[in-house]
Amino acid sequence: MAQPDGKKIFFENLSGAGKAIAVLTSGGDAQGMNAAVRAVVRMGLYVGAKVYFIHEGYQGMVDGGENIKEATWESVSSMLQVGGTVIGSARCKEFRSHEGRLKAAHNLVQHGITNLCVIGGDGSLTGANLFREEWSGLLGELAEQGLIDADAVQKYSALHIVGMVGSIDNDFCGTDMTIGTDSALHRIIEVVDAIMTTAQSHQRTFVLEVMGRHCGYLALVSALACGADWVLIPEMPPEDGWEDKMCEKLSATRSRGTRLNIIIVAEGAIDRHGKPITSGIVKDLVVKCLGFDTRVTILGHVQRGGTPSAFDRILASRMGVEAVLALLETTANTPACVVSLCGNQSVRLPLMECVQMTQEVQRAMDGKRFEEAVKLRGRSFENNLKTYKLLAHRKPESELPVSNFNVAVLNVGAPAAGMNAAVRSAVRVGISEGHKMFAVSDGFEGFYKGQIKEIKWADVGGWTGQGGSLLGTKRTLPAKHIDKIAEQMRMHNINALLIVGGFEAFESLLQLYEARSAYEELCIPMCMLPATISNNVPGTDLSIGADTALNAIVETCDRIKQSASGTKRRVFIIETMGGYCGYLASVGGLAAGADAAYIYEEPFDIRDLQANVEHLTEKMKTSIQRGLVLRNENCNENYTTDFIYQLYSEEGRGVFDSRKNVLGHMQQGGAPSPFDRNFGTKISAKAMQWISKKLLETFRHGKAECLPTPRSPAVCWGCVAGLWSSSPSFNSRTRPTLFTGSLRSSGG
């Protein structure tokens, strides 16, 4: 639906006319808060509401005056890439008192504000809910004191509250991720990657202390993302005697030729008796028992600083929009809600229920009910812990099950950051399940040439943080060489196949499935993991590598925009990869604050291009003197990057000049982001567990047997999606499977 001026309407029947919305940040700062503030302001203005900044959190609300200012569209420009919170945050003792809240109520009424968006932790959100509950009583007191009249009491009779959780600790129950957590993980992993090089040079052990006084999420996920040897978190203290077990683990790792050890300690780590375990204690223990050269690095507030990651910008922007929608739809009887991430969707949950559940975690830890504390943290946290234990601690050969199954893993298609983490996870989980694991070099081209060799536990050590594909990958599809591939599978007695790749891997799986009628060797469990920066594999919300590519795009766009600072008015035309999928251009445009994004899925014509030029021309007349336009490489065969650049250059002559950049393969390179490391690790582990299950179901007495009741296909986060063939003659065979993902399935 279009408005008279030609603009599209994205939200029908929603009007904020006559409403005033205020946004504040409170408590500890977190990267991404500015993106949330920007989204609230622009969404509020879009629906016709007045929007106000409350500077310095609750302190600014109590003090009033210049701390409460009306926001404009331009006032939130260039905020996306800034860390912390530009409107300030402060802890306010005065707001905890009744008198302080009375002052705050008076200041809000003076500006006609009855809708409040609070970005902070559980303490800040609890305070907001108390303020809401007392609101009518506070207005009554203000009327009695003669500070407001009876009409104001009636007009502003209800205060509506919506919360968004900004916390790097990810310690709030009810949401899979909080704003700032992913950026904090980026800071940690950057340090770990840097430390690993010096540690390897000197054969050192490093003990890293990360934030997390009451929550071990950062420590746990960073340990999973870097392959740390040991991790200590408050929710699951180590068993008594952990000191000897840790030293045995470190010693065994060194005996296999590894030149370094990494131990990650949450600042709130404790033992089973509640005694703190500090990084200093761990260092002294390693030096005393093993004599290893050991260093301690305490990251501290480095984790709070820096530019927000692409994930946090997108998460905060989506939450900010949802928060405004919630305020518009609320009534006087609607309880306060918090905007949370569930799977890949922004949802609204009752605020106080989530706060109470969060507080219950701490009570469980205080009562030494650690298993309960882990469960209360949520399924994502629990899965992270299980996966870490599975991959970090190798069982003795005598304790491993004997399966007599051979499983091959290979990469297909273009390289994507996180592929190596997925292969490492598959190899180690497969070995833990008792299988013999085989690595295939150079995709199906290497497969038919016989480039297949057994791969051991230690062979994949250190793979998690490496970009590209260490196995090698090619775009070759199996159809032309299916007979040679079947022969190699017979020679190596391959009983299951795990393919890591993009759309070529998807096509390969279908070709292998369709060839089953002619080759019995292909009647085995087959599974693929989506790994492509284009994120164009059917049936999955996310693919391994897409997050790393988005971060590369966003970082480059930030630098390009900064290059225009202090110069004349300039518009940048940026071409992204993605083939015929506009994911990188559209989501990258959202995270980078682009003025327009041209994608294949949304057709556009010369009128749209002209409208965008006119928009930028008007924009350049304000204080904003730079523009950003993203174009998917295959969005239109005629409106090429050169064409759009020349159009903008000509139409903007005298107002702005234009520059173009083709990002190219830099989007594929670099070390994988924490998200992609964790995502690849977890879905690969789940895929191997599925393969093990299917092997036990379908192989008896050393040969494949029919399955009488095949499962119906289903697509949801972290579970299996059947890829069905049109041929009815093979409905009793084990179908190839695609393991899918969403924001939730990575757990961070």
Side-chain angles (χ1 to χ4, degrees):
M1 180 178 178
Q3 291 178 328
D5 60 2
K7 294 181 181 178
K8 293 181 180 178
I9 294 179
F10 295 101
F11 300 93
E12 297 185 44
N13 303 321
L14 283 176
S15 174
K19 295 187 177 182
I21 301 171
V23 57
L24 66 90
T25 54
S26 178
D29 64 302
Q31 308 97 318
M33 279 184 166
N34 290 324
V37 170
R38 173 180 178 270
V40 170
V41 169
R42 292 198 166 176
M43 184 62 187
L45 295 174
Y46 178 84
V47 297
K50 281 189 175 182
V51 186
Y52 291 86
F53 294 131
I54 299 180
H55 292 268
E56 311 307 332
Y58 286 120
Q59 189 66 56
M61 192 190 298
V62 172
D63 295 341
E66 288 298 307
N67 289 307
I68 303 177
K69 294 181 179 178
E70 187 171 353
T72 64
W73 191 276
E74 290 77 19
S75 63
V76 292
S77 294
S78 303
M79 284 176 61
L80 268 174
Q81 67 269 28
V82 180
T85 165
V86 298
I87 61 174
S89 179
R91 302 184 191 279
C92 180
K93 290 184 179 179
E94 196 172 357
F95 188 76
R96 297 178 183 176
S97 67
H98 183 78
E99 293 74 15
R101 293 192 291 276
L102 189 65
K103 290 180 183 178
H106 185 216
N107 289 327
L108 293 187
V109 169
Q110 284 183 317
H111 291 85
I113 298 169
T114 56
N115 297 280
L116 196 58
C117 182
V118 180
I119 308 168
D122 61 330
S124 302
L125 300 182
T126 301
N129 188 66
L130 177 62
F131 189 42
R132 171 184 168 275
E133 290 174 346
E134 292 182 347
W135 180 257
S136 59
L138 294 172
L139 294 192
E141 288 184 48
L142 291 172
E144 289 175 6
Q145 296 174 16
L147 296 175
I148 61 174
D149 56 28
D151 290 339
V153 173
Q154 185 175 1
K155 184 177 181 180
Y156 307 119
S157 59
L159 178 68
H160 307 299
I161 298 287
V162 171
M164 287 184 279
V165 187
S167 167
I168 68 168
D169 293 331
N170 200 28
D171 56 355
F172 192 83
C173 293
T175 183
D176 295 332
M177 287 287 278
T178 58
I179 297 169
T181 302
D182 187 71
S183 300
L185 284 171
H186 273 259
R187 302 294 94 79
I188 295 169
I189 294 303
E190 286 166 7
V191 172
V192 172
D193 287 349
I195 279 176
M196 278 184 164
T197 57
T198 183
Q200 196 163 32
S201 301
H202 298 277
Q203 298 191 60
R204 282 179 176 151
T205 296
F206 270 85
V207 182
L208 278 81
E209 182 180 302
V210 301
M211 284 186 167
R213 191 173 305 157
H214 305 293
C215 179
Y217 183 88
L218 288 179
L220 177 58
V221 175
S222 57
L224 191 61
C226 72
D229 296 285
W230 203 267
V231 64
L232 294 160
I233 59 174
E235 289 91 345
M236 184 53 70
E239 300 288 344
D240 291 341
W242 65 271
E243 299 91 342
D244 293 335
K245 291 179 181 177
M246 184 184 74
C247 290
E248 287 173 10
K249 170 70 164 54
L250 299 181
S251 180
T253 302
R254 288 291 181 95
S255 67
R256 291 194 292 269
T258 303
R259 294 174 59 86
L260 76 156
N261 299 111
I262 299 292
I263 302 168
I264 297 183
V265 183
E267 62 177 330
I270 55 174
D271 64 16
R272 288 274 162 175
H273 308 286
K275 181 181 177 182
I277 303 175
T278 65
S279 52
I281 289 173
V282 175
K283 176 199 170 183
D284 294 341
L285 178 65
V286 174
V287 172
K288 179 182 177 182
C289 296
L290 299 174
F292 291 170
D293 185 5
T294 307
R295 299 287 190 273
V296 171
T297 298
I298 300 175
L299 271 63
H301 284 76
V302 167
Q303 297 158 87
R304 286 194 188 278
T307 300
S309 66
F311 183 100
D312 273 329
R313 300 186 197 194
I314 297 160
L315 175 66
S317 297
R318 292 175 60 187
M319 283 186 168
V321 170
E322 187 64 29
V324 173
L325 294 177
L327 288 172
L328 294 179
E329 295 170 1
T330 191
T331 65
N333 298 321
T334 305
C337 72
V338 61
V339 178
S340 301
L341 179 72
C342 184
N344 201 18
Q345 300 298 321
S346 294
V347 298
R348 307 168 200 171
L349 298 176
L351 171 60
M352 291 315 296
E353 286 185 20
C354 295
V355 169
Q356 289 163 8
M357 190 182 298
T358 302
Q359 294 170 347
E360 186 60 36
V361 176
Q362 188 59 48
R363 285 193 285 269
M365 291 164 61
D366 293 339
K368 296 183 172 58
R369 304 189 307 274
F370 299 114
E371 296 286 348
E372 182 183 342
V374 170
K375 289 185 181 299
L376 286 170
R377 281 283 180 222
R379 188 164 54 178
S380 176
F381 188 94
E382 195 174 6
N383 287 340
N384 283 327
L385 184 58
K386 288 179 180 177
T387 306
Y388 174 77
K389 289 179 177 179
L390 189 63
L391 299 177
H393 304 292
R394 182 183 183 183
K395 294 179 181 178
E397 294 288 340
S398 58
E399 295 182 16
L400 292 175
V402 179
S403 73
N404 295 320
F405 292 128
N406 297 338
V407 181
V409 57
L410 70 158
N411 295 336
V412 176
M419 274 183 165
N420 297 320
V423 172
R424 168 186 175 269
S425 178
V427 168
R428 292 195 168 181
V429 173
I431 291 172
S432 297
E433 298 278 346
H435 309 318
K436 185 179 286 188
M437 299 299 298
F438 287 84
V440 182
S441 301
D442 298 331
F444 282 106
E445 185 172 315
F447 208 135
Y448 81 80
K449 291 179 179 178
Q451 297 174 11
I452 305 168
K453 64 177 182 179
E454 186 178 355
I455 187 166
K456 301 285 189 177
W457 183 284
D459 295 337
V460 292
W463 280 33
T464 308
Q466 298 196 48
S469 169
L470 293 175
L471 287 184
T473 180
K474 296 286 182 70
R475 295 180 183 271
T476 306
L477 298 180
K480 292 182 180 179
H481 310 284
I482 202 73
D483 53 340
K484 294 181 180 179
I485 291 171
E487 182 182 352
Q488 291 294 335
M489 294 181 77
R490 183 169 59 254
M491 287 173 57
H492 292 86
N493 192 27
I494 301 299
N495 306 118
L497 194 61
L498 178 64
I499 306 172
V500 184
F503 198 80
E504 291 88 353
F506 183 85
E507 288 184 294
S508 298
L509 204 62
L510 289 175
Q511 289 181 4
L512 293 175
Y513 181 53
E514 290 166 356
R516 281 178 166 177
S517 58
Y519 300 94
E520 188 178 7
E521 294 82 1
L522 301 179
C523 296
I524 59 173
M526 291 186 285
C527 177
M528 79 156 286
L529 301 180
T532 168
I533 68 168
S534 302
N535 196 29
N536 60 350
V537 178
T540 180
D541 291 338
L542 288 174
S543 300
I544 300 167
D547 183 74
T548 305
L550 278 176
N551 278 286
I553 292 169
V554 167
E555 288 169 14
T556 305
C557 288
D558 287 348
R559 294 184 181 186
I560 287 173
K561 287 198 296 183
Q562 192 178 42
S563 72
S565 298
T567 65
K568 58 184 178 179
R569 299 177 178 92
R570 183 165 289 169
V571 174
F572 296 94
I573 315 297
I574 311 294
E575 182 184 297
T576 68
M577 296 177 81
Y580 290 97
C581 179
Y583 178 82
L584 290 180
S586 58
V587 180
L590 174 63
D595 296 277
Y598 301 120
I599 60 175
Y600 179 78
E601 294 87 344
E602 189 173 63
F604 59 96
D605 56 27
I606 195 67
R607 291 183 294 274
D608 297 308
L609 293 171
Q610 184 62 36
N612 293 146
V613 172
E614 292 171 358
H615 159 73
L616 285 166
T617 301
E618 290 299 315
K619 175 180 175 179
M620 294 299 174
K621 295 177 182 178
T622 67
S623 59
I624 306 168
Q625 298 190 355
R626 58 195 178 208
L628 183 68
V629 175
L630 267 61
R631 177 189 178 274
N632 166 242
E633 59 183 346
N634 289 337
C635 66
N636 189 291
E637 61 181 350
N638 296 313
Y639 300 136
T640 63
T641 302
D642 285 333
F643 177 89
I644 293 175
Y645 162 68
Q646 291 168 5
L647 175 68
Y648 274 68
S649 297
E650 180 61 32
E651 296 297 319
R653 190 184 299 275
V655 180
F656 60 83
D657 64 356
S658 302
R659 295 289 187 274
K660 66 175 179 177
N661 293 84
V662 179
L663 301 185
H665 284 77
M666 64 160 290
Q667 297 161 85
Q668 281 185 338
S673 67
F675 184 97
D676 277 329
R677 300 184 195 197
N678 189 21
F679 182 40
T681 296
K682 289 179 68 176
I683 65 169
S684 184
K686 186 163 288 190
M688 280 306 303
Q689 289 167 346
W690 178 86
I691 283 175
S692 296
K693 178 184 176 183
K694 292 302 175 186
L695 283 170
L696 293 175
E697 289 177 358
T698 58
F699 280 80
R700 298 184 187 126
H701 310 296
K703 62 179 182 179
E705 293 189 355
C706 296
L707 288 177
T709 54
R711 294 178 59 180
S712 59
V715 180
C716 59
W717 77 272
C719 75
V720 296
L723 300 181
W724 303 90
S725 168
S726 58
S727 171
S729 58
F730 289 92
N731 60 0
S732 61
R733 300 290 190 180
T734 301
R735 287 164 174 76
T737 298
L738 164 69
F739 267 78
T740 64
S742 68
L743 293 179
R744 181 177 182 179
S745 56
S746 81

